[in-house]
Amino acid sequence: MEFFRISRTIPFMRHALALNMISLITFLAAVLFIIFRGFNLSIEFTGGTVIEISYADSAPLSEVRETVAGLGYTDFQVQNFGTSRDVLIRLPLAEGQTSAAQSEVLMAALTEATQGVELRRVEYVGPQIGRELVENGLLALLFVIIGIVIYLAVRFEWKFAVAGVVANMHDVVIILGFFAFFQWEFSLPVLAGVLAVLGYSVNESVVIMDRIRENFRRQRNVEVRDVIDGAITQTISRTIITHGSTQMMVLSMLIFGGPTLHYFSLALTIGIWFGIYSSVFVAASIAMWLGVKREDLVKPVKKDDTVEETYSEQS
């Protein structure tokens, strides 16, 4: 589907060097923030107390959050669990206080605010579980990257595979850099958002690479830079429609999704915008600088095959 057609080829690659220098500086700054500031890990990674409560009617989540905050907690999670009446509360570990004591104090405050609230269960989540979540998350990230490399190498060739992976890592590191710089809470939903951005960004790169390959087949004696500019220009309508509709959905989660989806949708928002940018200016320009050419994507027809095809037509 084409929302509009651009007749004149836009020279995207003319500014590729300057934009990639900005990308490099941003990437290095993100790495430094990750190393020196670290992440504000949620209690899913650091450990804490998990409390499940139930209300007779729909649970007043905002009231529960105010009650928990009134007890002095700043890093906690409150969300529906199963039904609208059930609530799951995660509290960080409090020095000198057991999980049972935390739950007693919390239940006293909640009962004072709303009658009829019931305690269903209290569990202690140790830091060992959080460490396993971090390790499993990093393994998931590694497997996704390896899968993308293999997919791009099989579908295209190694120069596009390298360009695509560099562009995807650029997106992921910059998202993580934002979370490290602003010390936004890094939780499991955020990790899921980062993994989703990996797949989302590689899809955009594949669309542009596919069009570059088609243009190489149709156009002969055309400069590589012009082929890439033409491919990006031809797909820009699709890019605007796809990313615009996706961003509207993510924006609705960011505005109306509440605290549970806030950082997840924030990670997706950053990933969408940097995914568009990296697919156009990072992946395409790296492929160009690696020396991608027509012969890499359009295999020459063997002489024997040509003779055989001609004989078959005559017979």
Side-chain angles (χ1 to χ4, degrees):
M1 177 181 177
E2 274 194 323
F3 190 63
F4 55 86
R5 182 184 291 273
I6 301 175
S7 56
R8 176 176 168 273
T9 300
I10 302 173
F12 290 98
M13 292 299 102
R14 180 184 298 173
H15 309 290
L17 181 59
L19 290 171
N20 275 268
M21 289 304 296
I22 296 174
S23 294
L24 180 61
I25 294 171
T26 309
F27 181 88
L28 293 176
V31 172
L32 291 176
F33 288 137
I34 293 170
I35 294 174
F36 292 106
R37 289 180 68 90
F39 296 113
N40 176 21
L41 296 174
S42 71
I43 60 174
E44 292 159 332
F45 296 108
T46 59
T49 301
V50 177
I51 302 171
E52 183 183 342
I53 59 176
S54 179
Y55 284 82
D57 300 314
S58 294
L61 292 182
S62 57
E63 186 177 296
V64 174
R65 291 192 181 98
E66 290 177 4
T67 303
V68 177
L71 295 175
Y73 293 104
T74 56
D75 179 19
F76 62 88
Q77 294 177 1
V78 176
Q79 63 188 84
N80 280 119
F81 180 71
T83 69
S84 60
R85 297 182 303 162
D86 300 321
V87 180
L88 194 68
I89 303 172
R90 293 186 174 92
L91 300 179
L93 297 173
E95 189 174 351
Q97 198 173 24
T98 64
S99 296
Q102 280 183 297
S103 65
E104 288 178 6
V105 173
L106 176 65
M107 287 304 297
L110 292 174
T111 305
E112 184 179 350
T114 306
Q115 295 296 321
V117 56
E118 295 181 5
L119 177 65
R120 291 294 178 86
R121 67 182 171 100
V122 179
E123 289 183 3
Y124 167 74
V125 180
Q128 175 63 30
I129 296 177
R131 195 174 303 115
E132 291 177 1
L133 287 174
V134 172
E135 293 173 357
N136 291 337
L138 292 176
L139 280 176
L141 191 64
L142 179 64
F143 287 145
V144 170
I145 292 171
I146 292 174
I148 289 173
V149 171
I150 294 173
Y151 169 69
L152 292 178
V154 170
R155 179 161 181 173
F156 298 97
E157 54 94 43
W158 70 270
K159 293 172 187 172
F160 274 139
V162 172
V165 169
V166 171
N168 286 343
M169 291 309 299
H170 165 275
D171 301 341
V172 169
V173 170
I174 287 180
I175 293 173
L176 298 179
F178 268 96
F179 274 81
F181 178 75
F182 291 105
Q183 287 294 291
W184 294 333
E185 185 183 70
F186 192 89
S187 59
L188 280 178
V190 174
L191 179 60
V194 172
L195 293 175
V197 166
L198 266 175
Y200 186 85
S201 180
V202 75
N203 180 63
E204 180 65 23
S205 299
V206 165
V207 169
I208 294 177
M209 291 174 187
D210 257 336
R211 186 57 62 96
I212 291 174
R213 180 164 57 183
E214 289 177 13
N215 287 353
F216 269 127
R217 286 173 175 163
R218 291 185 301 184
Q219 302 172 344
R220 295 176 181 272
N221 302 321
V222 178
E223 293 289 332
V224 173
R225 181 187 295 264
D226 296 331
V227 171
I228 294 176
D229 284 340
I232 298 172
T233 304
Q234 292 158 14
T235 56
I236 197 168
S237 175
R238 176 257 176 209
T239 299
I240 292 174
I241 294 172
T242 304
H243 295 292
S245 55
T246 308
Q247 183 58 66
M248 283 193 290
M249 183 271 293
V250 173
L251 202 59
S252 64
M253 286 197 299
L254 183 65
I255 297 173
F256 304 109
T260 306
L261 296 177
H262 179 74
Y263 289 118
F264 171 72
S265 50
L266 197 58
L268 287 180
T269 299
I270 298 170
I272 287 172
W273 286 102
F274 276 94
I276 300 170
Y277 167 80
S278 66
S279 300
V280 173
F281 291 107
V282 178
S285 55
I286 288 178
M288 180 179 68
W289 291 327
L290 287 174
V292 67
K293 52 185 181 297
R294 188 174 188 276
E295 290 73 17
D296 294 333
L297 302 170
V298 183
K299 302 302 180 187
V301 179
K302 293 181 180 179
K303 187 177 180 180
D304 294 342
D305 296 341
T306 306
V307 171
E308 186 176 344
E309 289 177 2
T310 305
Y311 177 78
S312 300
E313 290 175 359
Q314 291 174 349
S315 61

